[in-house]
Amino acid sequence: MSDLPPLREVIRRHGLAAKKSLGQNFLLDLNLTGRIARAAGPLDGATVIEIGPGPGGLTRALLTEGARRVVAVERDERAIAALDEIAAHHSGRLVIVSGDALTFDAKPYLDGSPARIVANLPYNIATVLLVSWLTTEPWPPWYDRMVLMFQREVAERIVAAPGGKSYGRLSVLAGWRTEAKILFDVHPSNFVPPPKVTSSVIELIPRVAPPPCRGPMLERITAAAFGQRRKMLRQSLKSLGTDPLPLLEAAGIEPTARAEEIPVEGFVALARALEAAGE
Ligand code: SAM
């Protein structure tokens, strides 16, 4: 590892000036990337899916921390040559996928060893990717843990409990299928270029047996309920196109309740009622 060039030099040599359109904020501090990789550990024997490796700071750390294999998906073609240099140092352990994470299917890259998703996510597609991983089928999923960096405000929404402003659709989806917690914050000065806001690294561990319901139903219910979060559910759920009162009754929820008071199990019950109603 020590004979790989410093990341600043990699960025300069490969012309990797950060592009805002690709959500590029690079981590150059190897102590910090090591800390993120260790948060996902132990990595021995694991296949790590990394989204957006960029110049490869976190990728290097994942390999140093002992990942059996890292599959790194990067859309910026300028970064591929830089990643090739890392791959050359770690015979066969780094698989570089040049493409879009939004259409990437991890399954062909899995070989039965435990799989983990670790990433400093591009902020513009971070929640779309998270929702796709949370709603994947079958469950338990193909990964055994996710360690992901988000903007602090988004991380707070993911881990929020009922009753506050941060609690919403993301909290319900994450709480339904995983145990999620914030591990630590990362100050803007740790990135090149520095983003405007603080970031947080979060861990999501899949629940073995989440309360059964269909993900798309839960997404519909939460979109309707939190789309008009200040309204009572008997009103906000009308946007589902069906009478909300029988659904609320079947789920044992007061029609006058508001979305942010309802725990995850309540939304699951509503999703099941919606499905039973044939909607
Ligand atoms: N992992 C690097 C680090 O920590 O320094 C870079 C993180 S940067 C926040 C996000 C990375 O995701 C960039 O390298 C960017 O090019 C890449 N990216 C953006 N959109 C992408 C997409 N749709 N698919 C794959 N990678 C993408």
Side-chain angles (χ1 to χ4, degrees), residues 44-259:
D44 310 23
T47 294
V48 177
I49 305 294
E50 186 193 358
I51 302 303
L58 181 56
T59 319
R60 290 187 192 191
L62 292 164
L63 291 162
T64 305
E65 290 301 322
R68 199 170 76 78
R69 215 156 46 106
V70 176
V71 179
V73 187
E74 176 56 63
R75 187 172 166 190
D76 187 348
E77 285 175 9
R78 300 174 307 164
I80 302 300
L83 295 164
D84 280 337
E85 290 176 5
I86 302 175
H89 273 73
H90 295 277
S91 51
R93 289 172 60 209
L94 175 59
V95 179
I96 303 160
V97 179
S98 177
D100 188 343
L102 292 172
T103 52
F104 170 71
D105 178 10
K107 296 211 175 93
Y109 295 89
L110 307 178
D111 57 6
S113 60
R116 228 153 270 176
I117 309 174
V118 184
N120 170 17
L121 291 171
Y123 69 94
N124 39 353
I125 55 168
T127 56
V128 177
L129 288 172
L130 177 66
V131 168
S132 75
W133 295 324
L134 288 172
T135 54
T136 188
E137 296 296 346
W139 199 270
W142 52 268
Y143 56 85
D144 68 4
R145 190 192 306 193
M146 300 192 270
V147 171
L148 305 171
M149 175 111 74
F150 290 90
Q151 294 170 282
R152 167 98 204 168
E153 174 267 335
V154 178
E156 279 170 353
R157 287 198 271 134
I158 295 166
V159 304
K165 269 201 294 227
S166 298
Y167 185 64
R169 173 176 159 263
L170 274 184
S171 336
V172 174
L173 289 177
W176 167 45
R177 279 191 151 174
T178 69
E179 283 188 51
K181 70 173 183 203
I182 293 181
L183 297 179
F184 54 88
D185 288 344
V186 181
H187 191 267
S189 62
N190 285 285
F191 299 86
V192 174
K196 289 201 176 67
V197 296
T198 297
S199 301
S200 302
V201 174
I202 72 169
E203 168 194 85
L204 301 105
I205 312 246
R207 294 183 194 282
V208 179
C213 83
R214 287 190 46 227
M217 293 292 165
L218 193 57
E219 288 195 75
R220 277 182 65 197
I221 289 281
T222 50
F226 289 103
Q228 302 176 75
R229 59 187 294 141
R230 304 182 75 88
K231 294 205 170 140
M232 294 176 190
L233 289 169
R234 69 177 179 209
Q235 184 62 32
S236 57
L237 292 186
K238 278 187 185 159
S239 64
L240 291 169
T242 182
D243 182 358
L245 290 176
L247 300 180
L248 288 160
E249 190 180 350
I253 294 172
E254 288 296 328
T256 52
R258 290 177 169 79

